[in-house]
Amino acid sequence: MAPSIRSSALAGLALVFGTAVATCPPFNGTLIIENYRLYPENLDFDSEQCKLYLGSNFNSTVMVYDPYTQTQDIISFPGITNIEPFHVSGIDYDPKTGTIGISANDGNPFVSNGANVTGGNVTRDNFIIRYNPRSKSIVFKADLAPFIQKVQQQTGLLGNGIQDMVEDSVGNSYTYITFGARGLAKISPHGNVSTWYATDQIGTPNPFFPGIYGGMIFHAPSNKIIITDSAGGRFNTFDAAAAQGVPTTVDMTGFPSDYTGVSCDGLLNPSRYVNQSVLLCSEDAFGTSGSITVFRTSNNWVSAKYVGSIANDDPLAYGSIPSATVQIANSLYISPFFATDGPVQDTAGNRTSFPLIDITSKVDALVLPDGATVSKTFC
């Protein structure tokens, strides 16, 4: 069966327009999306169609949202949508192919904060879906079960928790295991899955988030995958051209005295800045209600400098964690995730309004004095 699409008008959007962008009209200002139980854990922007794709975590659907016309479409997936234990969390738009990567995964590891990596069925409940929003069709649905089993065979460690993914310059996708094991999967443009990296050296997970790996991005200028080594409190890079993944530790400086190490739920490498020299790290446990920690490089992420943080303290975000950031046209946003609305952590409540908080000026204030430059595309 094909995924189904439904459309509706949307009321309740707050926005202000601003500076110019190359493809999409200028856009800035905090906005509010109205949709029952949307709960986006991750999201990405299509700068060709000027649409925002949001993973509706607990509905196991994807919203296609137009911030200019205030309309929305909902993509649902037979056998996944509204079926336990699936979450739809990781979302990544690939401008090279015009497709969306979607993580439809076993939610049990996240509900249990890593304590339960066998709660669903690791032989069937983790998929990366590649979806074409123009033809409204699934390109492939890649089963991650053989990858999880292969990592266990190679390392002796049972892991689970599939979420974010990235795409390299030739159309391969990559995703990781969050809890219990250290492994990266590589998915070909046709949906074939291989174990790209696995090791039994997992380190010691930190007490506030017991994940091994966290948010990841692909840095096109250097052909590197950058991933959060949450257990090591640092970033690692991988050469996407390598036949097998080999991690390189990023040299990191500038940390404040109260900083306990990098632990990014989500990671964004915004094209707003020349050479994509800035990383926005969604740190759910840093500060009173989470923060976006901001890093900059001058050498293609051989090293990274901590330049400051932006608190998740907007009144509209009260009770949330800043699980993801996104660039919409020329502007940068926090996407608050209201993880405690439900009866237990990481389950749905009855919320209908979901804000996106504009932090563009705050990021600029941290990175421009340190040498970052706004691309002429966004000036």
Side-chain angles (χ1 to χ4, degrees):
M1 294 179 65
S4 65
I5 313 289
R6 69 177 186 273
S7 301
S8 65
L10 174 66
L13 173 71
L15 61 88
V16 180
F17 292 98
T19 55
V21 296
T23 304
C24 298
F27 191 92
N28 60 40
T30 290
L31 60 92
I32 299 174
I33 300 174
E34 301 287 347
N35 184 275
Y36 181 60
R37 290 187 171 182
L38 176 62
Y39 291 99
E41 201 276 339
N42 209 335
L43 68 173
D44 206 358
F45 185 68
D46 177 345
S47 59
E48 296 179 14
Q49 295 199 107
C50 305
K51 301 289 179 64
L52 185 64
Y53 305 119
L54 306 98
S56 183
N57 199 45
F58 308 122
N59 294 331
S60 303
T61 59
V62 174
M63 174 184 281
V64 183
Y65 177 72
D66 188 326
Y68 304 98
T69 64
Q70 308 177 32
T71 56
Q72 59 185 243
D73 295 336
I74 301 296
I75 307 169
S76 59
F77 303 95
I80 290 174
T81 294
N82 294 321
I83 294 176
E84 293 290 344
F86 284 108
H87 286 179
V88 165
S89 52
I91 298 286
D92 201 63
Y93 173 71
D94 181 7
K96 299 176 291 297
T97 62
T99 62
I100 318 165
I102 300 161
S103 176
N105 54 70
D106 179 5
N108 286 286
F110 301 101
V111 173
S112 66
N113 202 29
N116 181 3
V117 295
T118 61
N121 186 334
V122 296
T123 66
R124 70 168 190 232
D125 292 335
N126 287 295
F127 299 96
I128 297 295
I129 299 169
R130 179 64 51 187
Y131 180 82
N132 188 324
R134 291 158 179 78
S135 63
K136 296 181 172 58
S137 62
I138 291 175
V139 179
F140 64 72
K141 179 182 176 184
D143 185 359
L144 274 295
F147 159 66
I148 292 173
Q149 292 167 342
K150 186 69 174 293
V151 170
Q152 183 179 14
Q153 291 168 5
Q154 290 184 8
T155 68
L157 300 170
L158 177 60
N160 201 347
I162 303 296
Q163 46 175 334
D164 299 341
M165 82 292 298
V166 297
E167 301 82 24
D168 66 18
S169 59
V170 294
N172 298 303
S173 306
Y174 302 80
T175 190
Y176 59 87
I177 294 172
T178 303
F179 301 108
R182 190 183 292 278
L184 293 173
K186 181 177 182 178
I187 307 169
S188 77
H190 302 292
N192 300 314
V193 182
S194 60
T195 302
W196 196 54
Y197 174 69
T199 178
D200 60 2
Q201 303 300 306
I202 63 172
T204 304
N206 61 58
F208 49 85
F209 179 71
I212 307 300
Y213 275 146
M216 69 190 309
I217 61 95
F218 174 67
H219 183 248
S222 64
N223 203 41
K224 291 176 182 176
I225 293 164
I226 305 174
I227 190 166
T228 309
D229 178 358
S230 297
R234 60 199 175 192
F235 294 126
N236 288 336
T237 63
F238 291 81
D239 180 0
Q244 292 295 135
V246 177
T248 299
T249 300
V250 176
D251 182 27
M252 306 186 71
T253 60
F255 293 126
S257 59
D258 61 342
Y259 195 72
T260 56
V262 177
S263 183
C264 311
D265 190 347
L267 199 58
L268 181 69
N269 188 209
S271 60
R272 174 177 175 81
Y273 304 104
V274 171
N275 206 46
Q276 293 180 265
S277 65
V278 172
L279 282 177
L280 303 183
C281 166
S282 298
E283 303 224 40
D284 299 340
F286 185 60
T288 303
S289 54
S291 301
I292 305 302
T293 50
V294 183
F295 298 86
R296 208 186 80 75
T297 189
S298 58
N299 56 11
N300 284 329
W301 303 106
V302 173
S303 64
K305 178 184 177 183
Y306 173 97
V307 295
S309 65
I310 299 166
N312 180 43
D313 60 0
D314 189 284
L316 291 173
Y318 179 78
S320 74
I321 55 175
S323 68
T325 52
V326 66
Q327 179 171 328
I328 301 176
N330 54 307
S331 298
L332 304 172
Y333 290 83
I334 292 177
S335 177
F337 183 54
F338 297 90
T340 58
D341 276 7
V344 298
Q345 172 192 277
D346 208 22
T347 58
N350 293 310
R351 188 177 297 266
T352 58
S353 295
F354 297 89
L356 298 178
I357 311 299
D358 189 340
I359 59 169
T360 313
S361 62
K362 293 180 179 180
V363 178
D364 279 356
L366 291 174
V367 302
L368 298 186
D370 194 64
T373 305
V374 177
S375 169
K376 291 181 179 179
T377 301
F378 301 110
C379 292

